């Protein structure tokens, strides 16, 4: 689920702010929640506060491959003598299973066939369980019911890890690992890890709340929980919240995708290196566990505990056990946080209560101190209710069904936090008699349950303490199964995490349907008509296959529309250009020729674009997303390209730096830049968050620019006339020492007009500036920039082409 951040106070309805409700030391920003699963589809029906019917993203780390093998086995068959009714699986239900919206058909069949039914027959079939008593029987009798299919298909990821191991190996390893998660360890984690990471998350989204940039909260929570689990298990910061960590791809291991095995290889290697390093330290220090609840003060990790406990264990086994924790403890908690926020956003009174509780309990300080469960019967058995199962029978306990069944819970489909007594104990399988089993139950119950509860409570408390949020209307929030990426649109569906395999229009629709949990529709013929047209524009490549079927993959242009880990792509830029108000300006483009004193946008809409955007939060958000979609990949490309322009710079001034994000990125990459000056209009810097090493300075660049060793700016010169550009550059020149550099990143037109995509996009951008922002603002050629630089006092000039959109222009004194 994407959360889209709305601009902070000034552009938000007052109702979203919480004046005085929290201690003055803590200020809450506002944000809006948005799912990008399907931008064009209608709002989900779940306005009663309960999640949309298919909208429970299972936290399973089980490979979706098992769904495929399940689907293969789904066929209709005759009756048997087990007393278990057989559900008839229809083709459309099966395609839901493939796509991942598993809970829809399982829930539907529960209502049709009762709490225990058989899903088809054939070489393999499942008995689906939605009854707490039966679940209790299966989960408690681990000797009679093994993990079965789940172990088989997850082995590529978990290896021999204890999360899927069976028998003696599981007993020994579980016994070795569980003591590491003791009470004292958890309380150290609350202070050292859970609170700190939650604070970092809030810091990250605050920047976006101020600038109005939407944030993919599902990704953000996934990054949080990855950071938490990395620090807790290995004492290793993956820094996925704050930086582009190389391990970030862990956020999206997609077993379904071709590259999964390669990714698993990288993760295994990373874990092996962490173990080797820690082992060396433990050996050198001769460390040994000397008391119960042992914690190494400098390195309180689970890895350190396990090594210091001196259990006999092979390094591969240890690696796989730790990998089990890493994977099992990552997406699960992230998913819980995402859905909790979603539910709270739909239920104002519960949100208010939760925020009041957080304010009351914390008083401004930091907090201190769905799944299906698969089993296989190993012996013949009779389940409560007199259902017979044979040895080898696969069983699927639907946690979702038990939690949503009206036979098990009153008002089962509603979000009623009060159903659990606040003063009473936390609900678990024992005190609810297996009616509430998010962590399973019996001997193979989750080992991280206390860890996850504390982590989620701390993260939620810190988040609610500092943020307001609301759900952006008109969007569809859906679910997929497994550790997944959420495909949302045509380019994402084809890209599928990097595969870019050609797909037909029907296949693309099937992927989109499954990720948006919409079971109906989409017209493949009309989609294909659009795809053909866009293929002629070079967005897609068309492949004619044997039967005359057309399939489409992405070209380099098409790839710019694929959503990245931060939910960004060039797609928002395209969407932004096609908003009604902007389109209204295009028929007036000739006016820019006849009378350039007023922009066509202002003629069409009665006022200039920026002040108009300011009054329309949704336009402003899209504009900011569009800018981020261009700027973030550009900044990454520049910083990763080995560009040497920041070498030797200590004090760097970012002119028009907004919230300071570029400085943050540059300073993160170039530690020699120790002082950042974020220079923008006073009202803009007033809302900028504090960034270590960065001073926010408000002012007018036509009057003065703060001094520095170098000056950076991005998309500034383009919107001003030649005279204005000269005047800005003169002020830069004054602020720089001899030999100092102005580094300006702007779109640059080629000298000759040709029909390449790049030239067309740049020329279209030029007319866009003329029509929407400034009639005499413009895209310029290298030569025009060089001349303007010379006039302003910069004799030296070079242009570096690193990215599709912006060119790096260096003007040196
Ligand atoms: C809200 C978050 C979490 C949920 C909902 C969750 C849920 C579950 C469930 C349902 C199982 C049992 C699967 C089965 O019976 O087949 C399980 C097992 C497991 N979980 Fe969690 N989990 C969460 C967080 C964590 C965390 C944070 C860790 C690690 C610190 C963790 C580590 C494990 C391990 C190692 C197992 C396998 C245990 C075994 O087979 O002996 N989980 N989890």
């Amino acid at each position: 689920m994407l959360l889209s951040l709305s601009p902070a106070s000034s552009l938000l309805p007052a109702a979203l702010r919480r004046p005085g409700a929290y201690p003055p030391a803590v200020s809450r920003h506002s944000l809006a929640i948005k799912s990008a699963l399907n931008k064009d589809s209608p709002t989900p029906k779940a306005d009663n506060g309960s999640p949309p019917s298919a909208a429970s993203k299972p936290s399973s780390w089980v490979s979706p491959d098992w769904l495929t093998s399940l689907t293969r086995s789904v066929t209709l068959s005759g009756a048997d003598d087990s007393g278990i009714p057989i559900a008839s699986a229809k083709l459309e239900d099966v395609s839901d299973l493939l796509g991942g919206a598993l809970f829809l058909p399982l829930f539907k069949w529960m209502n049709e066939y009762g709490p225990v039914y058989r899903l088809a027959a054939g070489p393999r079939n499942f008995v689906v369980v939605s009854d707490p008593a039966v679940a209790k029987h299966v989960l408690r009798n681990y000797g009679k019911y093994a993990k079965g299919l789940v172990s088989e298909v997850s082995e590529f990821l978990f290896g021999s890890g204890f999360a899927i191991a069976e028998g003696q190996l599981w007993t020994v390893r579980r016994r070795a690992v569980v003591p590491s998660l003791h009470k004292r360890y958890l309380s150290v984690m609350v202070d050292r890890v859970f609170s700190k990471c939650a604070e970092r998350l809030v810091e990250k989204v605050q920047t976006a709340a101020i600038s109005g940039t939407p944030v993919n909260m599902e990704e953000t929570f996934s990054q949080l929980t990855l950071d938490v689990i990395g620090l807790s298990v290995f004492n290793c910061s993956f820094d996925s919240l704050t930086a582009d960590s190389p391990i970030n791809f862990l956020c999206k291991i997609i077993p379904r995708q071709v590259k999964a095995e390669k990714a698993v290889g990288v993760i295994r290697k990373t874990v092996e290196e962490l173990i080797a390093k820690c082992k060396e330290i433990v050996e050198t220090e001769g460390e040994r566990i000397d008391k119960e609840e042992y914690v190494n003060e400098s390195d309180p990790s689970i890895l350190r505990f396990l090594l210091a406990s001196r259990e006999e264990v092979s390094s591969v086994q240890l690696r796989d056990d730790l990998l089990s924790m890493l994977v099992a403890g990552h997406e699960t908690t992230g998913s819980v946080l995402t859905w909790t926020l979603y539910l709270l956003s739909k239920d104002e009174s519960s949100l208010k209560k939760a925020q009041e509780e957080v304010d009351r309990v914390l008083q401004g300080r930091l907090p201190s101190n769905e799944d299906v469960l698969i089993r296989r019967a190993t012996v013949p058995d009779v389940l409560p209710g007199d259902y017979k199962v044979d040895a080898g029978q696969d069983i699927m306990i639907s946690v979702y069904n038990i939690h949503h069944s009206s036979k098990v819970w009153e008002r089962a489909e509603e979000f009623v936090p009060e159903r659990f007594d606040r003063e009473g104990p936390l609900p678990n399988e024992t005190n609810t008699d297996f009616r509430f089993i998010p962590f399973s139950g019996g001997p193979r119950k989750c080992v991280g349950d206390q860890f996850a509860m504390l982590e989620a409570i701390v993260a939620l408390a810190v988040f609610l303490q500092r943020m307001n949020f609301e759900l952006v209307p008109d969007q569809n929030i859906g679910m997929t199964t497994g550790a997944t990426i959420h495909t949302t649109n045509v380019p994402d569906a084809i890209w599928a995490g990097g595969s870019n395999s050609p797909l037909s229009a029907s296949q693309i629709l099937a992927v989109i349907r499954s990720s948006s949990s919409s079971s109906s529709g989409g017209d493949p013929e009309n989609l294909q008509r659009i795809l053909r047209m866009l293929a002629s524009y070079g967005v897609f490549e068309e492949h004619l296959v044997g039967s005359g079927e057309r399939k489409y993959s992405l070209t380099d242009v098409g790839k710019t529309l694929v959503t990245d880990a931060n939910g960004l792509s060039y797609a928002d830029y395209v969407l932004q250009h096609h908003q009604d108000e902007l389109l209204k300006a295009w028929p007036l483009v000739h006016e820019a020729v006849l009378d350039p004193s007023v922009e066509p946008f202002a003629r069409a809409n009665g006022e200039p674009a920026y002040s108009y955007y300011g009054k329309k939060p949704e336009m402003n958000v899209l504009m900011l997303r569009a800018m981020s979609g261009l700027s973030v990949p550009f900044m990454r490309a520049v910083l990763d390209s080995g560009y040497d322009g920041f070498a030797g710079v200590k004090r760097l001034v970012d002119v028009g730096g907004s919230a300071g994000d570029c400085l943050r990125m540059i300073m993160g990459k170039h530690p020699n830049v120790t002082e950042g000056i974020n220079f923008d209009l006073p009202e803009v810097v007033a809302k900028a968050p504090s960034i270590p090493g960065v001073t926010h300075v408000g002012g007018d660049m036509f009057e003065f620019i703060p001094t520095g060793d170098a000056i950076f700016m991005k998309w500034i010169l383009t919107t001003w006339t030649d005279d204005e550009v000269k005047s800005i550059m003169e002020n830069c020149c004054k602020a720089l020492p001899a030999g100092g550099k102005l580094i300006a990143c702007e779109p640059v037109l080629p000298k000759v007009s040709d029909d390449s995509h790049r030239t067309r996009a740049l020329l279209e951008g030029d007319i866009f500036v003329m029509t929407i922002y400034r009639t005499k603002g413009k895209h310029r050629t290298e030569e025009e920039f060089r001349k303007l630089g010379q006039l302003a006092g910069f004799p030296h000039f070079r242009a570096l082409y690193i990215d599709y959109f912006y060119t790096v222009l260096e003007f040196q004194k």
Side-chain angles (χ1 to χ4, degrees), residues 573 576-577 596 599 608-610 613 623 627 630 655-656 680-681 701-702 713-726 728-729 744-748 765-780 785 788 805-806 809:
Y573 181 74
Q576 197 235 343
H577 280 213
E599 287 73 33
Y610 280 114
Y613 291 167
M623 198 266 296
M627 293 319 297
L630 297 178
V655 174
D680 211 314
L681 292 171
M701 64 186 170
F702 289 100
M713 60 174 64
K714 184 163 56 57
W715 218 69
I716 298 292
L717 304 178
T718 297
T719 45
W720 300 99
T721 65
D722 288 345
D723 285 346
E724 288 161 344
V725 168
K726 188 170 149 266
I728 297 166
M729 289 175 91
C745 307
E746 305 286 336
V748 172
D766 181 42
I767 308 305
F768 180 79
V769 169
M770 178 172 89
T771 311
I772 307 300
Y773 295 129
R774 291 292 300 279
T775 53
K776 300 297 283 180
K778 59 177 85 152
H779 284 192
R780 297 176 170 88
F785 274 120
L788 281 167
F805 192 82
Y806 294 113
L809 303 167

Side-chain angles (χ1 to χ4, degrees), residues 399-599:
V399 179
Y400 181 90
N401 281 1
I402 293 177
H403 290 176
H404 289 76
S405 167
S406 55
K407 299 215 167 58
V408 179
W409 294 99
E410 268 175 40
R411 298 162 68 193
E413 286 295 312
E414 286 172 49
F415 176 51
V416 190
E418 292 78 11
R419 75 171 80 237
F420 301 113
D421 180 6
R422 216 168 52 188
E423 307 308 324
L426 284 177
N428 58 35
E429 76 285 5
T430 316
N431 58 28
T432 64
D433 205 14
F434 280 72
R435 294 187 309 136
F436 187 68
I437 50 170
F439 295 105
S440 182
R444 300 223 52 164
K445 183 184 172 178
C446 176
V447 297
D449 59 341
Q450 305 287 336
F451 180 110
M453 288 300 282
L454 279 169
E455 178 188 1
I457 288 169
V458 168
L460 196 63
V462 173
F463 192 86
L464 295 181
Q465 187 181 49
R466 316 281 171 92
M467 307 299 294
N468 278 324
F469 52 92
E470 69 161 4
L471 200 64
V472 169
D474 297 331
Q475 46 162 343
N476 191 355
I477 295 179
M479 56 158 264
T480 54
T481 301
T484 54
I485 192 169
H486 291 214
T487 52
T488 64
N489 55 37
V490 172
D492 287 349
I494 299 176
W495 186 241
S499 89
N500 201 20
S501 315
L503 295 182
S504 67
S506 315
Q507 288 169 323
I508 292 168
L509 279 178
V511 177
I512 292 174
R513 261 203 308 271
S514 66
S515 69
S516 66
S517 73
S518 135
S519 51
S520 68
D523 186 320
E525 193 198 346
N526 281 358
L527 175 59
Q528 177 166 294
R529 288 163 68 187
I530 297 171
L531 289 166
R532 281 198 71 176
M533 185 272 287
L534 290 171
S536 80
Y537 278 84
V539 179
F540 299 103
E541 187 179 344
E542 189 172 68
H543 308 259
L544 285 174
V545 285
S547 52
E549 196 185 14
R550 293 173 195 275
K551 291 193 170 184
Y552 298 87
S553 59
L554 296 162
T555 61
D556 278 354
V557 173
K559 283 179 206 165
T560 63
L561 303 174
V562 174
T563 316
D564 74 4
N566 295 310
L568 297 172
S569 75
Y570 277 27
D572 291 304
Y573 181 74
V574 178
L575 291 174
Q576 197 235 343
H577 280 213
H578 292 84
Q579 296 177 102
D580 288 351
E581 289 83 348
L582 278 77
L583 289 179
K584 259 166 79 182
W586 285 103
L588 303 180
V589 69
H590 61 285
E591 297 283 358
V593 178
L594 298 176
D595 173 10
S597 64
V598 183
E599 287 73 33

Side-chain angles (χ1 to χ4, degrees), residues 59 61-62 139 147 150 162-165 170 174 177 181 185 229 232-233 302 321 324-334 336 370-375 399 437-441 443-449 451-453 455-456:
S59 49
W61 26 259
V62 174
L139 293 173
K147 282 233 167 177
V150 100
F162 79 104
I164 57 162
W170 168 74
R174 178 152 173 142
V177 174
L181 289 143
Y185 162 78
I229 202 80
S232 313
V233 175
I302 291 178
D321 287 341
S324 297
M325 312 278 287
L326 188 68
V327 178
H330 168 211
E331 258 211 48
T332 42
T333 321
V336 164
E370 286 196 29
D371 234 324
V372 282
L373 305 173
I374 307 273
R375 290 293 186 271
V399 179
I437 50 170
F439 295 105
S440 182
R444 300 223 52 164
K445 183 184 172 178
C446 176
V447 297
D449 59 341
F451 180 110
M453 288 300 282
E455 178 188 1

Side-chain angles (χ1 to χ4, degrees), residues 611-681:
S611 55
Y612 193 92
Y613 291 167
K615 292 179 189 151
K616 300 256 179 168
E618 66 288 354
M619 287 186 83
N620 207 37
V621 165
L622 186 56
M623 198 266 296
L624 291 163
R625 273 190 69 88
M627 293 319 297
S628 302
L630 297 178
S631 298
V632 174
F634 162 75
M635 286 304 294
R636 270 197 214 121
V638 169
L639 294 173
D640 293 344
S641 70
Y643 168 63
D644 61 358
F646 300 109
V649 173
K650 284 203 183 99
R651 183 179 153 102
L652 180 67
V653 182
D654 185 354
V655 174
S658 192
D661 290 328
C662 286
L663 274 178
R664 190 202 296 264
M665 287 175 88
I666 296 168
M667 291 167 79
K669 182 80 182 185
H670 295 279
N672 56 294
V673 182
T674 48
E675 210 185 333
I677 307 295
N678 181 43
F679 183 65
D680 211 314
L681 292 171

